[in-house]
Amino acid sequence: MSQDSRYKQLSPRSGFETLSVYDGVVGACSIDLSDNTNLWGMPPSAKKALEDFSYSDVTRYPSAYTTELKESLSRYVGVDRSMVVTGCGSDDILDSAIRAFGNAGATLACSDPTFSMIPVLSRINGLMVKTVSFDRDGDISVDALLSAGADIIYICSPNNPTGSPASLDRIETVADELKGLVVVDQAYAEYSATSLTQVLTRHSNVLITRTMSKAFGMAGLRVGYAIGSSELVNEVEKSRGPYKVGALGSAAAIAAVENDLSWIEKVVEETLSVRSRFVTSVGSLGYKPLPSDANFVLIPMDNACDVAETMLRAGIGVRSFRNLTGIGNALRVTMAPWLMLEEFLGVLEAAVS
Ligand SMILES: *Cc1c(COP(=O)(O)O)cnc(C)c1O
């Protein structure tokens, strides 16, 4: 039998025929404003931890569940270390949490538009996705989310790609009313004006996911974490499995959390100041960017796809979206040192005139 015909006898999980590999990656560019990573670089102590890493240690497995990293993160966030789980990026934790608390055939509800990985991770695990609209004020709609009859509710705050935060009291109402798991994705927590960790003191069905990929500047090392009640976190760890965070990523993340918080604070401050300048400049070109609580700005724009192509030819990567619910076509731009944003604005101005 040839290799080819033998493959035809295999069948992947049902539903896999509707999935494809991730293609959100923008082509080669010299200024990449497409994925909301930290264009100010990586924190200095984290960098030093990589340089000082003892390479003879790589013959050994790392800590199965990152004991030391969880210790550092628990102090940083201000919770008991039994309430922390880490993963290979927060995508890994989202995947593990959906698998741990959603049976095949269960339903996950989320607002639309939101993080594009959520429908994918749901379907990989055999869950169905129900999307609902945001409220007219841009906040999540509690009624719409609850009436979806879902087993898991996903809330992204600040939301990717809109940048809008969900309010604490609405998240608490959702957590009060839902018997199942509520996931609050705070990948952009460091930029946000609203802290949500206090939700955990009253709700043991909430998991807050966070990451080292955005403000902490380490997307390439793949380190994410989440906090929730210790019982909940334990189930997520079972689902995730051991050894998901490599020794290098762990060492860099520990160093950053222990020594670089003031560096992060400065970068966040700079990001927010650049963001307000950027919003004003884009506005003066006639656009109405959405108010953002994160390190990116979404600009509704009929010809967003054409503009993204023009940008790419000029060496600038931005993410374009087609037909976002309630918004239409739009460009999402990562905030960066002003000189980079000036390049973007120059090309945009030429495209407008
Ligand atoms: C970038 C991002 C993530 C983070 O992914 P990692 O796997 O931690 O790199 C998670 N959620 C949202 C909404 C994001 O934008």
Side-chain angles (χ1 to χ4, degrees):
M1 214 189 280
S2 79
Q3 251 184 346
D4 220 75
S5 59
R6 204 172 301 147
Y7 178 76
K8 286 182 188 134
Q9 298 173 341
L10 300 176
S11 49
R13 276 177 81 122
S14 65
F16 267 45
E17 68 281 359
T18 67
L19 297 168
S20 48
V21 293
Y22 181 67
D23 72 346
V25 183
V26 166
C29 50
S30 51
I31 301 178
D32 192 346
L33 309 176
S34 74
D35 61 8
N36 307 337
T37 48
N38 189 340
L39 285 136
W40 281 268
M42 89 181 285
S45 307
K47 196 165 171 226
K48 185 162 186 310
L50 293 185
E51 286 158 2
D52 293 349
F53 188 81
S54 159
Y55 288 97
S56 58
D57 289 350
V58 298
T59 58
R60 314 283 312 164
Y61 278 101
S63 164
Y65 295 98
T66 65
T67 309
E68 259 186 85
L69 174 57
K70 288 201 287 188
E71 183 79 43
S72 291
L73 286 169
S74 71
R75 277 198 300 272
Y76 166 51
V77 185
V79 298
D80 191 81
R81 79 194 133 133
S82 66
M83 295 175 70
V84 183
V85 53
T86 60
C88 175
S90 54
D91 283 5
D92 184 29
I93 303 170
L94 293 167
D95 179 37
S96 304
I98 292 170
R99 185 164 51 250
F101 291 94
N103 287 308
T107 302
L108 178 146
C110 59
S111 306
D112 178 40
T114 197
F115 187 36
S116 61
M117 284 303 291
I118 292 307
V120 176
L121 295 173
S122 299
R123 278 151 53 200
I124 287 175
N125 288 296
L127 278 78
M128 292 176 295
V129 180
K130 271 198 190 164
T131 57
V132 305
S133 302
F134 280 95
D135 225 338
R136 244 172 294 167
D137 61 5
D139 202 343
I140 52 168
S141 166
V142 172
D143 289 344
L145 285 169
L146 289 173
S147 57
D151 304 279
I152 299 177
I153 289 180
Y154 169 85
I155 297 166
C156 190
S157 182
N159 185 49
N160 181 2
T162 58
S164 57
S167 59
L168 180 62
D169 60 315
R170 293 199 193 184
I171 293 173
E172 298 216 75
T173 311
V174 170
D176 274 333
E177 300 292 324
L178 189 80
K179 289 205 180 63
L181 172 70
V182 179
V183 178
V184 180
D185 185 337
Q186 280 223 284
Y188 304 96
E190 294 81 4
Y191 301 101
S192 176
T194 340
S195 166
L196 297 175
T197 45
Q198 52 193 299
V199 174
L200 301 180
T201 59
R202 285 185 293 270
H203 301 280
S204 53
N205 60 334
V206 174
L207 184 74
I208 296 179
T209 62
R210 299 233 189 129
T211 184
M212 291 287 153
S213 299
K214 305 292 161 60
F216 276 88
M218 300 179 212
L221 290 172
R222 311 303 302 128
V223 184
Y225 65 101
I227 45 178
S229 66
S230 50
E231 297 89 343
L232 195 166
V233 154
N234 189 243
E235 297 306 320
V236 176
E237 282 200 321
K238 282 188 210 167
S239 169
R240 189 211 73 161
Y243 307 123
K244 289 301 178 75
V245 180
L248 270 166
S250 203
I254 291 169
V257 169
E258 295 293 336
N259 308 304
D260 288 326
L261 295 183
S262 60
W263 184 91
I264 303 279
E265 234 171 81
K266 257 193 262 155
V267 165
V268 167
E269 215 173 278
E270 172 83 9
T271 305
L272 302 192
S273 111
V274 153
R275 187 181 71 196
S276 84
R277 198 172 164 193
F278 179 79
V279 165
T280 306
S281 301
V282 169
S284 69
L285 293 175
Y287 295 102
K288 293 197 169 63
L290 271 58
S292 171
D293 203 30
N295 69 335
F296 55 84
V297 173
L298 190 72
I299 312 169
M301 189 182 292
D302 289 339
N303 59 343
C305 295
D306 293 341
V307 171
E309 271 177 39
T310 306
M311 287 288 168
L312 200 54
R313 278 196 297 273
I316 303 167
V318 287
R319 182 84 185 266
S320 65
F321 294 88
R322 247 182 250 274
N323 277 324
L324 292 175
T325 306
I327 295 166
N329 298 339
L331 271 195
R332 193 192 62 197
V333 185
T334 307
M335 295 300 96
W338 185 251
L339 285 178
M340 297 186 192
L341 295 181
E342 249 179 359
E343 301 254 344
F344 169 90
L345 289 164
V347 178
L348 184 64
E349 193 170 358
V352 171
S353 57

